[in-house]
Amino acid sequence: MFSQGRGIVIVFLFLAGVINYLDRSALSIAAPFIQEDLSLSATEMGIIFSSFSVGYAIFNFLGGVASDKYGAKLTLFVAMIVWSLFSGALVLAVGFVSMIVIRILFGMGEGPLSATISKMVNNWFPSSNRATVIGLTNSGTPLGGAISGPIVGFIALSYGWRISFIVIMIIGLIWSFFWWKFVKERPQAASLSSKQVAVSAENEEGKKENVGKGKLKLTFYLKQKTILFTAFAFFSYNYILFFFLTWFPTYLVDARGLSVGNMSIITVIPWVLGFIGLALGGFVSDFFFKKFIKKGVLFSRKAVLVTCLFLSAVCIGVAGLVTTTVGAVTLVALSVFFLYLTGAIYWAIVNDVVDKDNVGSVGGFMHFLANTAGIIGPTLTGYLVDTSGTYTSAFLLAGGLAVFASLAVIRFVRPIVKPL
């Protein structure tokens, strides 16, 4: 799996995920400094947080289309440069409006990442290893979230918040240079070993099948229940994730009475468990695939997705009912762990049921639908907290949505019957 050029692809995609969440989480860590410096209210800061998801969700889909049309290597290269530049551009912000514009453009740059990772994995790896590789590469994202606090916090306190975004921008630009220099679009573009020839032959055989049948239109896949309900499950995944990203730190301070210092340390715990879960999720799915190969690849994907999403839902729901801080933090950490165990599965399903010519576009469309949770969820959570005076209903809604989605996967996610 790591031999003959494939290892370097995994390393670069993993590092891209680390940088992605380092950049994305930096604003949350620097928010107190930015609010004071630019005289922003809490409401204005909340709108700035949400504005990221507007650009991000749209370019989840457009980035996937670009990876099919122009290649995953070029698409991710451009995306990394764009989001790094607009991460650094925050130092030029002078107020509320400029912050919104920069964050939307920053979100547009980050949007293509997941679809291009999926496309690169599809280019380089056989189906029996794809979930494992997707899990490994995407596990860089929670690791980036975990290290953003110490890194951004130290730089902001020592040298000012603007310097922290310049440093992050430089890291992304350095990655872009080495990505373009050392990574190939697919094994055919590198020197092929006998194993790579076998992988290449498998890929070419899939292409021949598609040619024989005629290339399927993108719209064919976008109407399939398997794609739509996988996207719905991914939506519930993101709803819980954005709830954790945006409101859990505030919950610890407001509802549990923790200091900001203690809160910043405690929030690292769920991120670390999330890193472990995301790294293991693909291995677990591919293990089930090999163990129950006669039942088909979707059986293994659904077994992991349904079980772990359901457990995540139960943990996040019960976390809103417990009376102790330790209990709440433990349950949320477990919820994030089980949630991230499913992180590779959504992309693996797309790779399993979609032909190579459409895998980037369909994955991007699914990701677009899923990330509308980043627009809806934080705002709805704030409304529930304002109207009820507690976080209980917000926790229960996040859990209930994921329970419903896991049941829908059992019923509607099935092999796609393609027309002759």
Side-chain angles (χ1 to χ4, degrees):
M1 184 173 70
F2 296 96
S3 62
Q4 303 299 325
R6 292 191 289 274
I8 195 170
V9 174
I10 294 175
V11 170
F12 269 96
L13 293 178
F14 175 86
L15 291 175
V18 173
I19 296 170
N20 181 272
Y21 261 57
L22 174 62
D23 289 4
R24 191 184 306 189
S25 304
L27 184 66
S28 299
I29 304 301
F33 305 100
I34 295 173
Q35 276 187 265
E36 181 179 356
D37 192 20
L38 301 182
S39 301
L40 299 171
S41 68
T43 300
E44 288 174 328
M45 203 66 210
I47 295 172
I48 290 168
F49 281 133
S50 296
S51 63
F52 164 84
S53 291
V54 176
Y56 183 69
I58 294 171
F59 272 76
N60 290 157
F61 178 49
L62 296 181
V65 173
S67 70
D68 281 335
K69 187 172 183 179
Y70 303 109
K73 177 183 175 179
L74 176 61
T75 302
L76 186 51
F77 173 73
V78 174
M80 177 68 80
I81 290 176
V82 171
W83 95 53
S84 297
L85 291 175
F86 281 105
S87 177
L90 277 177
V91 304
L92 305 175
V94 294
F96 176 62
V97 174
S98 59
M99 286 287 288
I100 288 180
V101 172
I102 292 170
R103 286 298 286 181
I104 290 175
L105 293 171
F106 171 67
M108 291 165 62
E110 286 209 339
L113 175 68
S114 294
T116 52
I117 287 179
S118 177
K119 182 71 174 181
M120 283 296 289
V121 171
N122 190 280
N123 287 346
W124 276 84
F125 297 89
S127 58
S128 58
N129 292 126
R130 284 175 188 159
T132 296
V133 176
I134 291 172
L136 285 174
T137 54
N138 279 292
S139 66
T141 57
L143 183 60
I147 67 175
S148 65
I151 291 176
V152 176
F154 171 77
I155 296 174
L157 286 170
S158 302
Y159 306 103
W161 68 268
R162 295 179 190 274
I163 299 299
S164 64
F165 286 94
I166 293 176
V167 170
I168 291 172
M169 176 186 71
I170 292 172
I171 292 172
L173 295 178
I174 291 173
W175 181 95
S176 301
F177 171 79
F178 287 103
W179 166 261
W180 189 256
K181 184 175 178 63
F182 292 109
V183 176
K184 305 297 183 182
E185 176 70 24
R186 59 182 73 248
Q188 291 92 324
S191 58
L192 295 176
S193 69
S194 59
K195 289 185 178 179
Q196 284 179 303
V197 170
V199 174
S200 176
E202 176 189 324
N203 292 338
E204 291 300 320
E205 186 63 30
K207 288 181 180 179
K208 290 177 182 178
E209 289 182 9
N210 290 334
V211 171
K213 295 178 180 178
K215 180 181 176 181
L216 291 173
K217 293 183 178 179
L218 174 62
T219 53
F220 166 78
Y221 289 108
L222 303 191
K223 295 182 290 185
Q224 299 299 313
K225 291 181 180 179
T226 293
I227 301 301
L228 295 175
F229 281 95
T230 300
F232 175 48
F234 206 0
F235 176 92
S236 70
Y237 166 101
N238 274 310
Y239 192 96
I240 294 176
L241 181 59
F242 276 101
F243 175 71
F244 167 67
L245 274 169
T246 58
W247 281 102
F248 186 60
T250 303
Y251 161 78
L252 290 175
V253 174
D254 290 349
R256 296 296 177 180
L258 296 182
S259 67
V260 174
N262 289 335
M263 174 272 291
S264 62
I265 295 172
I266 287 174
T267 54
V268 173
I269 299 172
W271 279 124
V272 172
L273 287 180
F275 165 71
I276 296 171
L278 194 49
L280 288 178
F283 283 105
V284 173
S285 180
D286 282 341
F287 171 79
F288 269 74
F289 171 45
K290 294 167 185 175
K291 189 77 172 177
F292 302 100
I293 193 167
K294 292 182 179 180
K295 292 181 177 292
V297 65
L298 273 185
F299 174 83
S300 65
R301 310 306 190 208
K302 290 171 63 175
V304 177
L305 175 54
V306 172
T307 302
C308 295
L309 187 60
F310 183 84
L311 290 173
S312 176
V314 171
C315 289
I316 199 71
V318 176
L321 301 175
V322 298
T323 58
T324 65
T325 301
V326 172
V329 171
T330 300
L331 285 166
V332 169
L334 288 173
S335 178
V336 173
F337 172 72
F338 288 121
L339 187 73
Y340 269 121
L341 275 172
T342 73
I345 310 303
Y346 312 98
W347 299 102
I349 289 174
V350 170
N351 275 275
D352 294 333
V353 301
V354 176
D355 65 85
K356 292 179 67 67
D357 291 326
N358 287 299
V359 70
S361 301
V362 175
F365 174 75
M366 175 190 69
H367 204 209
F368 159 71
L369 294 180
N371 276 290
T372 57
I375 302 171
I376 299 169
T379 302
L380 181 56
T381 298
Y383 173 78
L384 291 172
V385 172
D386 280 340
T387 54
S388 67
T390 70
Y391 287 81
T392 301
S393 58
F395 276 97
L396 291 175
L397 176 60
L401 185 65
V403 167
F404 185 58
S406 63
L407 296 176
V409 169
I410 297 175
R411 175 67 179 84
F412 295 107
V413 174
R414 303 181 181 278
I416 294 177
V417 179
K418 299 175 184 179
L420 294 176

